[in-house]
Amino acid sequence: MTRDRFRRLVDEALASIPEDFRAAMQNIVVVIEDEPSAEQLAEVEIEPPDSLFGLYQGTPLTERQWAHGNVLPDKITLFQRVIEDDSESEDDVIVAIGETLIHEIGHYFGLSEEEIEDIEERYWRGEFPENGRPDDQES
C-alpha cells in the first residue's frame, strides 16, 4: 500500500472519532513511520515476536500542570509496515489503524490500559452513538 493511501485511511479514521473527543485533542500530531526504532521498542519494553503498531509520546492530559504550555505537540506515531505485515487485507489495515488510534488517543487522555481496552471493545460493538458517549449516559 502506498503511503498516500495509508495516510488517507488514517485521515478517515481520525474523522470518524466522535466530535467531542476530536475537539478536546489539542497540540497533538499524528505521524506515519515504517517501523519503530530500537529506542521506541525499548521505551515500551516490546521485544519480538510482539509488534508495536503505534506509540503515544507526550504528557497525558491528566498529568499536565497548570503551567503546561509552549511545548512541542504530543505525538502519535503509526507504524505502517508493522500494521501491513500483520494484516491480510486492506480491511484488516483499516481495523488496525482504527484500533491503534483509539488506543494511542486514550493514552493522550490519560486512560489506563484497562480503560482503553474497555473502550475499544465497546467501540467495535457499536456502543458509541454519534455524540461519542456510551448509550447509557445522558448528554
Side-chain angles (χ1 to χ4, degrees):
M1 171 178 302
T2 67
R3 181 63 55 102
D4 285 341
R5 176 67 180 143
F6 192 87
R7 167 55 69 192
R8 282 194 302 277
L9 294 174
V10 170
D11 289 344
E12 290 171 13
L14 287 167
S16 75
I17 294 170
E19 178 58 34
D20 292 358
F21 293 104
R22 280 197 324 262
M25 294 170 56
Q26 302 293 316
N27 201 33
I28 186 167
V29 62
V30 176
V31 299
I32 300 168
E33 294 180 9
D34 286 332
E35 54 192 36
S37 67
E39 293 81 16
Q40 289 169 319
L41 290 171
E43 179 181 332
V44 292
E45 301 176 354
I46 300 275
E47 294 182 18
D50 292 334
S51 299
L52 183 63
F53 288 1
L55 180 65
Y56 167 72
Q57 295 171 296
T59 304
L61 292 180
T62 55
E63 296 177 16
R64 295 183 184 180
Q65 302 297 316
W66 67 270
H68 185 85
N70 289 330
V71 296
L72 291 172
D74 288 13
K75 181 167 92 169
I76 292 175
T77 306
L78 297 178
F79 300 108
Q80 181 177 351
R81 186 175 300 149
V82 178
I83 289 172
E84 288 177 338
D85 287 350
D86 197 62
S87 301
E88 294 181 14
S89 66
E90 185 170 300
D91 286 344
D92 288 346
V93 170
I94 292 168
V95 168
I97 289 170
E99 288 178 345
T100 304
L101 281 173
I102 290 169
H103 194 95
E104 302 312 329
I105 290 168
H107 287 306
Y108 168 81
F109 284 112
L111 300 176
S112 69
E113 288 294 327
E114 294 77 20
E115 291 169 316
I116 292 169
E117 288 172 9
D118 180 56
I119 289 169
E120 288 171 339
E121 287 179 30
R122 293 182 349 195
Y123 178 83
W124 289 114
R125 288 193 310 251
E127 294 180 11
F128 288 92
E130 286 300 311
N131 66 7
R133 295 183 183 91
D135 289 337
D136 60 343
Q137 288 185 354
E138 296 293 320
S139 296

